Amino acid sequence: MEIKNQFAKKLMDIKAIKLQPNDPFTWASGWKSPIYTDNRKTLGYPQVRSFVKLELCHVIQENFPEAEAVAGVATGAIAQGALVADELGLPYCYVRPKPKDHGMGNQVEGEIEQGAKVVVVEDLISTGGSSLKAVEALRKYGVEVVGMVASFTYGFPVAEEAFAAAGVKLITLSNYEAVIEEAAKTGYIKEEDKAVLAEWRKSPETWKQ
């Protein structure tokens, strides 16, 4: 079984992914969605947590061997990013959504040398907006972002376009297609639900059940 399907199955096993085509969730953005993903749940399961850590390390070693440091995106990827940096023996920092409004006013927390080649660890990619803001903050901080790795992506066209425009290579462990595939295989969703789920992915901002 491919890693993306293996991980999709693990996420469903620990109920980190919920699919409800007939009873959609409402995201913070107001979008209606037949899927809800909470990768932070992996932290509570040592075997899954370790699987994510090691697979992200493999992806980094294969795709970004030049990386000299790791940065996690707050808040979802702070812990996983630290685990990855520790496993790779690399310096680590994390990036806040915006600078602190007190103290030193930092947005990048930790210590990384100027000009260092940094790989960013993210938790989940939806539109890509917050992930790319972290990239922007790191570039302003004075480091070179060589790429980003993430646990999961919905694969929205808007995100793919945004990453291409920002010049950031993104590699993820699993994706929306793999989840639907595994969900259908295990009977977690009905065969007819696949069409609804595919339709939502095309234009999530306007989708209505």
Side-chain angles (χ1 to χ4, degrees):
M1 190 189 284
E2 283 188 58
I3 291 295
K4 61 181 183 178
N5 292 72
Q6 237 181 304
F7 187 39
K9 187 174 183 313
K10 286 179 191 292
L11 288 173
M12 285 192 290
D13 286 346
I14 64 169
K15 296 185 168 51
I17 286 185
K18 292 187 176 167
L19 287 164
Q20 295 179 188
N22 302 311
D23 183 18
F25 302 95
T26 303
W27 284 1
S29 60
W31 288 7
K32 293 287 181 194
S33 165
I35 183 171
Y36 185 78
T37 312
D38 182 5
N39 288 327
R40 281 171 282 209
K41 278 198 170 194
T42 61
L43 296 169
Y45 296 83
Q47 283 180 311
V48 185
R49 183 178 70 218
S50 189
F51 174 89
V52 176
K53 173 188 74 174
L54 294 174
E55 290 306 331
L56 286 174
C57 287
H58 292 157
V59 166
I60 290 168
Q61 286 165 332
E62 279 173 31
N63 296 276
F64 310 109
E66 71 277 30
E68 298 164 327
V70 176
V73 181
T75 59
I78 291 178
Q80 202 65 65
L83 288 166
V84 166
D86 192 54
E87 183 70 23
L88 295 173
L90 294 175
Y92 178 67
C93 70
Y94 71 85
V95 188
R96 296 173 174 275
K98 56 184 183 181
K100 264 199 311 193
D101 57 5
H102 59 281
M104 300 287 287
N106 294 344
Q107 185 167 5
V108 177
E109 299 284 11
E111 194 69 39
I112 287 185
E113 281 184 25
Q114 294 289 294
K117 292 178 166 61
V118 177
V119 66
V120 182
V121 175
E122 180 58 294
D123 166 45
L124 174 76
I125 309 290
S126 53
T127 63
S130 55
S131 310
L132 291 171
K133 273 184 189 159
V135 168
E136 199 182 317
L138 286 162
R139 285 171 172 166
K140 276 185 190 161
Y141 179 80
V143 297
E144 182 190 338
V145 174
V146 294
M148 185 180 293
V149 296
S151 295
F152 184 83
T153 180
Y154 288 109
F156 295 142
V158 64
E160 286 168 9
E161 286 159 21
F163 273 87
V168 179
K169 182 179 178 181
L170 170 69
I171 312 278
T172 63
L173 293 189
S174 194
N175 55 37
Y176 187 67
E177 288 93 340
V179 164
I180 304 311
E181 216 176 286
E182 287 305 306
K185 259 189 225 168
T186 55
Y188 192 78
I189 56 167
K190 300 183 188 78
E191 195 59 35
E192 58 266 29
D193 291 334
K194 283 169 81 174
V196 174
L197 291 159
E199 201 53 45
W200 169 76
R201 226 274 298 270
K202 284 182 199 163
S203 53
E205 66 282 12
T206 56
W207 183 81
K208 284 183 178 57
Q209 173 56 336

